[in-house]
Amino acid sequence: MSETRTDARKVRAGRHTVEISRPEKVLFPDDGITKSDLVDHYRAVSRLMVPQLRDRPLMMERHPDGIGGKPLMQKNAPDHFPEWVRRAVLPKEGGKVTHPVCDDTATLVHLAGQACVTPHRWLSRADRPDHPDRLVFDLDPPDGKGSAFEEVRWAARRMCGLLGELGLPGLLMTTGSRGLHVVVPLDRRAGFDTVRAFARDAADTLAARHPDRLTTEMRKDRRGGRLYLDIQRNAYAQTAVAPYAVRARPGAPVAAPIDATELDDPALAPDRWTLRTFEERLRDDPWAHADTRGRSLRTARRRLTRL
């Protein structure tokens, strides 16, 4: 945490200097983590994070009163944002939304300066918002079940196994919240309806293989303690937490890409890495060596129908 109290801090980021107001504002009261600390995290991870955000509309989860206050889930980029922050005007039901887009370190730093603790990204890019290049399976532990995260590990292994049968890569990340995301890179040829239908059928197939442990039942009272394979994020204007994003939870956990081999690490947890400890993850990017080329769902769909 910064030691000197100032009314503003200037941060050089690429071609821009970003002014951070009230840098000593405490955002995580139980941990003493300030806005300035948040800025430092996002500046440090920008080399890895910006490529995951570039060209994507964002939703900002802002906590101007700290994480104990009411969050602002903000989609519109305010007029007072600097002119160099890119915007994307996209349709919504009954109108339009002007989303911020983070294409550089300066924008990421500016968002942190606005107390945007967590940027949430679209699964599509601004130029073709109806055609996602990411598919996400959200795996959260069953409610009220002992060793719940072990169920998430187990489900993630099976999901990655199924994707392998279908010829698709599965990129893993902790969410910094309760579970894991399995992310599939796509080639943007299919629209959201097609992608969502594929995700639903893949989840149904996996649940049918393990009906005692997995379910696609949306109603919690019908899940019977089984892990829910959530595909609901795969829709227009829906978002998912961005890799390397800080979560508004005690300890400031960070959503972190992982390698599949780390599923066997007994220390793995959704909140394994935090803003205070994330420096150790900057030494190597688990996704740098992964196959992130966007895939078509056509062949995968044919393979799925034969299972």
Side-chain angles (χ1 to χ4, degrees):
M1 182 172 62
S2 304
E3 296 180 358
T4 303
R5 292 186 61 85
T6 58
D7 293 328
R9 173 189 172 193
K10 292 184 178 180
V11 177
R12 186 67 184 176
R15 296 177 298 164
H16 304 288
T17 298
V18 184
E19 184 169 299
I20 308 299
S21 64
R22 302 181 68 195
E24 302 307 319
K25 169 70 178 178
V26 175
L27 299 181
F28 293 76
D30 292 341
D31 306 283
I33 293 173
T34 66
K35 186 192 292 187
S36 194
D37 295 323
L38 186 70
V39 167
D40 288 342
H41 168 80
Y42 280 120
R43 191 182 189 192
V45 303
S46 63
R47 175 180 59 85
L48 299 175
M49 189 173 185
V50 169
Q52 301 293 334
L53 299 177
R54 187 173 288 122
D55 298 329
R56 298 181 187 280
L58 299 180
M59 179 178 70
M60 301 171 286
E61 181 182 337
R62 298 180 56 228
H63 292 263
D65 298 319
I67 66 169
K70 185 176 181 180
L72 300 177
M73 307 303 288
Q74 186 171 351
K75 298 180 180 180
N76 273 299
D79 293 338
H80 64 75
F81 270 24
E83 55 85 22
W84 44 260
V85 173
R86 183 180 163 198
R87 279 85 159 166
V89 181
L90 298 174
K92 69 170 185 176
E93 187 175 354
K96 297 180 179 179
V97 178
T98 302
H99 291 268
V101 179
C102 183
D103 289 342
D104 53 29
T105 300
T107 300
L108 192 55
V109 168
H110 177 73
L111 294 178
Q114 300 298 305
C116 175
V117 173
T118 312
H120 299 263
R121 64 176 184 169
W122 279 39
L123 304 185
S124 57
R125 298 179 184 269
D127 62 333
R128 299 187 70 193
D130 294 308
H131 289 73
D133 65 348
R134 294 290 185 270
L135 182 159
V136 173
F137 295 98
D138 187 3
L139 310 180
D140 279 338
D143 292 333
K145 191 165 185 175
S147 303
F149 191 66
E150 290 303 315
E151 290 295 300
V152 177
R153 295 175 193 260
W154 183 89
R157 293 187 190 101
R158 271 69 192 173
M159 179 59 73
C160 288
L162 174 61
L163 293 172
E165 293 177 53
L166 302 178
L168 297 173
L171 306 177
L172 289 160
M173 61 176 278
T174 66
T175 62
S177 179
R178 299 180 64 229
L180 297 173
H181 282 179
V182 182
V183 182
V184 181
L186 303 177
D187 63 4
R188 303 209 297 171
R189 294 185 180 180
F192 267 112
D193 288 346
T194 298
V195 170
R196 186 182 178 89
F198 174 85
R200 182 185 301 109
D201 291 346
D204 284 341
T205 297
L206 192 61
R209 289 180 175 181
H210 308 283
D212 57 330
R213 299 181 74 168
L214 301 175
T215 182
T216 56
E217 175 57 60
M218 294 182 63
R219 288 185 52 173
K220 289 186 177 182
D221 60 356
R222 293 182 179 178
R223 293 177 190 170
R226 296 170 293 175
L227 185 143
Y228 174 49
L229 301 173
D230 187 355
I231 58 93
Q232 301 303 316
R233 299 180 187 278
N234 299 287
Y236 179 83
Q238 294 297 306
T239 62
V241 63
Y244 309 102
V246 178
R247 304 309 300 271
R249 299 168 68 90
V254 176
I258 63 171
D259 183 85
T261 60
E262 293 182 274
L263 290 174
D264 298 323
D265 182 351
L268 184 68
D271 55 357
R272 165 77 179 277
W273 295 280
T274 71
L275 181 148
R276 297 288 198 204
T277 65
F278 202 76
E279 184 176 356
E280 66 186 77
R281 288 301 279 185
L282 295 178
R283 298 174 191 144
D284 185 35
D285 175 12
W287 287 1
H289 312 295
D291 187 354
T292 58
R293 175 175 53 87
R295 299 301 211 283
S296 168
L297 289 180
R298 291 183 179 179
T299 300
R301 165 59 76 182
R302 290 195 296 270
R303 290 173 176 169
L304 184 61
T305 57
R306 293 198 293 265
L307 293 180

